[in-house]
Amino acid sequence: MSHVIDLNAYLRRIGYDGSLKSDLATLRAITTAHVAAIPFENLNPLLRLPVSLELADIERKLVHEHRGGYCFEQNGLLLEALRALGYDVSGLIARVLWMKPEDAMVAQTHMLLRVELAGESWLVDVGFGSMALSGALRLQPDITQSTGNEPFRLLHQHGEWRMQAQVKEEWRTLYRFDLQPRPAIDYVVANHYTSTYPESHFLHGLIVARTLSDRRLGLRNREFVVHHTGGESVRRVLEGVDEIKQVMREQFGIRLPAHADLDRKLAELPAAE
């Protein structure tokens, strides 16, 4: 028998006690609470531990063990929670273009979700790390849409969509995708690539992120940054393993795994990329 999500445990984990009506207001509130409570983090790939996409394993790690995860775990968990709440939701897959040329040829390595609601289509994505979407975007091109943080927009041309965020007055592409619903096996294959491929950046550096109502928190190796919405960013380099662990616990709410290699991996992190 397949695992059924413990919806009450998930809602407690994200600190949500509002309406459970499957409407737009609840969708936006759930996604905003999710990105604030459950951080993006890649400790499993960094420690060469498997990343399971079985719902029971995702729930154990992200909900009960107070860990975080990356897109397949984050959006996989959200997909099941939204279905339990009565939403019509399906998974999509994207090619990441963040910090890359617009015409870069890259693999499909990112999961996002499409929600059908009252005759309209919406996109949600709680798994894009430093630019996780707080709220939901109407599936409509060429309009600026406000979120709890930066403005977002969608572009559409020749059957392909691009997700963009406005960062310091510049529109920057996060990823490109189509609207074909994806079966679970597509995520299993992509997850295997991102978590085990020798050149995957998830294996070679620490990446942690959390999105709050007025700021985004990021930790890349030893550099901790706070991006204030509409304001300046504050950066500092963490001095050693103890400070890195303290920031992960206190700023990102991560219960660190008891792994023999954790301290060694953190000690090996460079000060900057």
Side-chain angles (χ1 to χ4, degrees):
M1 184 175 180
S2 60
H3 182 79
V4 177
I5 189 171
D6 185 340
L7 183 61
N8 288 330
Y10 168 77
L11 295 174
R12 287 194 301 271
R13 173 72 169 98
I14 66 173
Y16 181 78
D17 60 1
S19 169
L20 299 182
K21 184 178 180 181
S22 53
D23 57 15
L24 180 58
T26 300
L27 179 65
R28 285 177 163 154
I30 290 284
T31 54
T32 298
H34 182 121
V35 295
I38 306 180
F40 183 101
E41 51 104 330
N42 70 318
L43 287 171
N44 274 37
L46 184 65
L47 294 168
R48 304 304 191 268
L49 295 174
V51 177
S52 172
L53 298 190
E54 293 295 325
L55 177 59
D57 295 330
I58 295 175
E59 184 182 276
R60 182 183 308 110
K61 181 186 174 195
L62 274 65
V63 175
H64 301 295
E65 295 179 357
H66 280 244
R67 286 280 306 282
Y70 62 14
C71 69
F72 302 113
E73 300 166 284
Q74 299 270 9
N75 283 318
L77 179 64
L78 179 62
L79 182 146
E80 296 299 333
L82 292 180
R83 283 180 174 167
L85 287 167
Y87 288 93
D88 178 3
V89 56
S90 58
L92 307 177
I93 201 164
R95 302 180 191 273
V96 176
L97 295 175
W98 185 247
M99 308 296 288
K100 294 181 174 65
E102 287 290 320
D103 59 351
M105 295 300 296
V106 293
Q108 294 176 314
T109 59
H110 181 66
M111 179 184 186
L112 67 151
L113 305 178
R114 179 180 181 178
V115 180
E116 301 301 314
L117 186 60
E120 289 189 296
S121 296
W122 298 82
L123 297 178
V124 293
D125 183 0
V126 295
F128 199 77
S130 62
M131 294 301 297
L133 179 62
S134 53
L137 294 185
R138 179 180 280 105
L139 187 62
Q140 181 177 340
D142 305 321
I143 59 170
T144 299
Q145 303 189 50
S146 61
T147 71
N149 302 94
E150 300 83 3
F152 277 67
R153 73 178 181 185
L154 296 163
L155 303 181
H156 181 239
Q157 187 175 21
H158 307 306
E160 181 180 83
W161 293 80
R162 290 183 185 241
M163 174 83 76
Q164 294 189 327
Q166 190 176 34
V167 181
K168 294 183 178 180
E169 306 305 319
E170 177 187 359
W171 285 104
R172 299 175 59 183
T173 299
L174 280 65
Y175 46 77
R176 57 188 175 92
F177 61 100
D178 60 36
L179 300 181
Q180 179 181 344
R182 299 291 175 161
I185 189 62
D186 285 0
Y187 302 125
V188 172
V189 172
N191 176 62
H192 178 71
Y193 172 84
T194 55
S195 64
T196 67
Y197 181 59
E199 295 182 18
S200 171
H201 67 280
F202 290 119
L203 276 66
H204 302 292
L206 178 64
I207 308 170
V208 190
R210 184 182 178 199
T211 298
L212 300 170
S213 61
D214 61 346
R215 64 196 186 279
R216 294 183 183 272
L217 309 180
L219 177 60
R220 189 67 180 256
N221 294 326
R222 294 175 183 265
E223 184 181 67
F224 174 54
V225 58
V226 180
H227 299 288
H228 295 281
T229 303
E232 296 298 318
S233 298
V234 179
R235 304 173 185 272
R236 66 184 174 99
V237 176
L238 307 182
E239 294 299 324
V241 171
D242 288 344
E243 191 174 13
I244 296 171
K245 291 165 70 173
Q246 180 183 11
V247 166
M248 283 196 286
R249 286 192 297 260
E250 295 180 1
Q251 298 295 328
F252 297 93
I254 298 172
R255 289 183 186 170
L256 297 173
H259 192 279
D261 278 346
L262 178 60
D263 284 7
R264 180 179 65 83
K265 286 289 186 180
L266 296 181
E268 293 173 349
L269 294 174
E273 290 192 279

